[in-house]
Amino acid sequence: MRVGFIGTGHIAAPMVRFLADKGHDIAVTERSATISAELVASHGVAVSDPQSVIARSEIVVLCLRPQHAHAVLSPLEFRELQGVISVMAGITAAQLATYCDPATRIVQTIPLGFLEKGGCPLAAFGDTDILATLFAPENPVVAITDETAFNAHFAICAMVPGLLDLMATGSDWLAAQTDNADMAEFYTTQLVAGFLSAMDKDRANRLVSERDALATDGTISLQMTDSLRNHGAHDALQTTLSEIGHRLNGTNT
């Protein structure tokens, strides 16, 4: 299919590479110039202005930073039968309908960069068939029927850099104990990645059951989980998730 990207940044690039590797005809806008140039060199994508990208594309992927959406999208003209995928957090379905009118085949989703390798769950609100056509089955589409619930998935997605930040702190601590920063980061990341990849993905309550299998009486694992709770880590996470949800839903309570 002919797929166009409006905005070419950190999220768009792996999507472009995934689709180009599957044989789709891809066009991107120039910004960011560095990333678009890299995609031209590596995957032979076309680069053009936003309106020209829309004109040649059957499906358009909107990858703008939310604060730039109005200025970039308002002047553009979409087509009635065009498919539109938005990955812009905080831009509502109602706003997208206005920006993309007369196009009505619109879906919102939440990709992360590992989509390029498959296995990235794509929470989707709207016309999920557009998303599945391009990214499934390698990346499972998780249909969400309520926009507030969809925004809650955006909040969970934001938890990923928070967890990475905690892992970086742990890696720094290990580096200070061993005087070997590279080994510390390798060990920390491989430990978590290996554990998660080995988990039984078809079993219910696996997070709790795996935690409890490790954090048994008298273990340092239990000391870790208890201490994190006692120092408010879980309360901070719940509060932050709620604050992000309120922000995305346009509420203050």
Side-chain angles (χ1 to χ4, degrees):
M1 300 188 72
R2 297 187 308 277
V3 184
F5 284 76
I6 308 297
T8 312
H10 179 69
I11 295 299
M15 299 173 74
V16 169
R17 291 191 292 264
F18 176 87
L19 294 175
D21 286 342
K22 293 187 73 173
H24 296 288
D25 182 3
I26 310 296
V28 302
T29 52
E30 186 176 11
R31 292 184 62 185
S32 115
T34 301
I35 294 177
S36 60
E38 290 172 352
L39 293 171
V40 170
S42 65
H43 287 77
V45 306
V47 178
S48 192
D49 62 272
Q51 188 60 63
S52 296
V53 168
I54 291 174
R56 76 186 298 278
S57 301
E58 299 166 85
I59 296 175
V60 179
V61 186
L62 306 179
C63 297
L64 299 164
R65 292 183 179 179
Q67 63 268 32
H68 299 153
H70 180 77
V72 175
L73 297 177
S74 292
L76 302 179
E77 296 182 4
F78 291 79
R79 299 191 303 277
E80 183 177 359
L81 298 180
Q82 212 156 30
V84 178
I85 299 171
S86 170
V87 302
M88 302 182 295
I91 303 299
T92 67
Q95 289 173 307
L96 287 169
T98 299
Y99 292 144
C100 302
D101 184 59
T104 57
R105 297 177 58 233
I106 301 172
V107 63
Q108 298 169 263
T109 191
I110 314 166
L112 288 180
F114 69 94
L115 167 147
E116 183 177 0
K117 297 182 179 180
C120 179
L122 297 174
F125 176 62
D127 192 332
T128 57
D129 288 344
I130 304 171
L131 205 59
T133 296
L134 295 180
F135 297 105
E138 293 89 345
N139 298 284
V141 176
V142 181
I144 310 297
T145 58
D146 174 82
E147 191 165 16
T148 299
F150 173 74
N151 285 334
H153 287 74
F154 253 125
I156 291 296
C157 196
M159 189 172 69
V160 172
L163 293 174
L164 293 175
D165 196 28
L166 287 173
M167 288 175 62
T169 297
S171 176
D172 289 344
W173 179 88
L174 182 57
Q177 310 305 308
T178 62
D179 198 28
N180 191 331
D182 290 342
M183 180 278 293
E185 183 169 81
F186 172 81
Y187 182 81
T188 302
T189 55
Q190 290 302 303
L191 184 70
V192 175
F195 185 86
L196 291 176
S197 66
M199 284 178 59
D200 183 354
K201 297 177 177 57
D202 295 323
R203 181 163 50 85
N205 299 316
R206 52 189 175 273
L207 290 174
V208 170
S209 61
E210 292 287 357
R211 177 203 66 194
D212 290 347
L214 291 171
T216 55
D217 287 346
T219 62
I220 58 173
S221 295
L222 182 62
Q223 180 181 353
M224 175 65 74
T225 56
D226 283 350
S227 184
L228 287 174
R229 285 189 179 277
N230 292 338
H231 284 87
H234 291 262
D235 291 339
L237 176 59
Q238 291 272 10
T239 297
T240 304
L241 289 171
S242 295
E243 289 172 348
I244 292 172
H246 296 325
R247 172 183 173 182
L248 295 174
N249 293 315
T251 60
N252 296 315
T253 59

